[in-house]
Amino acid sequence: ASPSVIHQRLGELREAGVVVLQEGGGYALTEEGKKLRACIDPLRDWANRWARRIGEPEIAAGQRTRPGK
């Protein structure tokens, strides 16, 4: 994704209360972000089980798309 798209998405996540900008730079999950991650991680795990079953590459934590797609 382009830097402008990343900037826009991070702004949306900040407005939604999912991430905060840290003083030294970079972003961190808020408590709400951690709760959301607790929902997303099991979905990624489920998708990876299906991917293995049909011979597709798995999605790593933090990865947006499957390799080669």
Side-chain angles (χ1 to χ4, degrees), residues 56-57 65-69:
E56 290 286 327
T65 59
R66 295 192 187 288
K69 298 282 179 177

Side-chain angles (χ1 to χ4, degrees), residues 8-31:
Q8 179 183 355
R9 296 294 184 260
L10 286 169
E12 292 169 358
L13 291 170
R14 286 174 62 192
E15 287 178 20
V18 176
V19 297
V20 291
L21 181 60
Q22 297 178 318
E23 280 188 33
Y27 290 85
L29 289 174
T30 62
E31 287 304 311

Side-chain angles (χ1 to χ4, degrees), residues 12-53:
E12 292 169 358
L13 291 170
R14 286 174 62 192
E15 287 178 20
V18 176
V19 297
V20 291
L21 181 60
Q22 297 178 318
E23 280 188 33
Y27 290 85
L29 289 174
T30 62
E31 287 304 311
E32 288 303 309
K34 291 175 186 175
K35 291 176 188 175
L36 181 60
R37 183 174 183 176
C39 297
I40 292 172
D41 285 348
L43 289 173
R44 185 195 66 237
D45 295 342
W46 175 85
N48 283 335
R49 284 193 302 275
W50 274 99
R52 285 191 299 272
R53 204 169 162 185

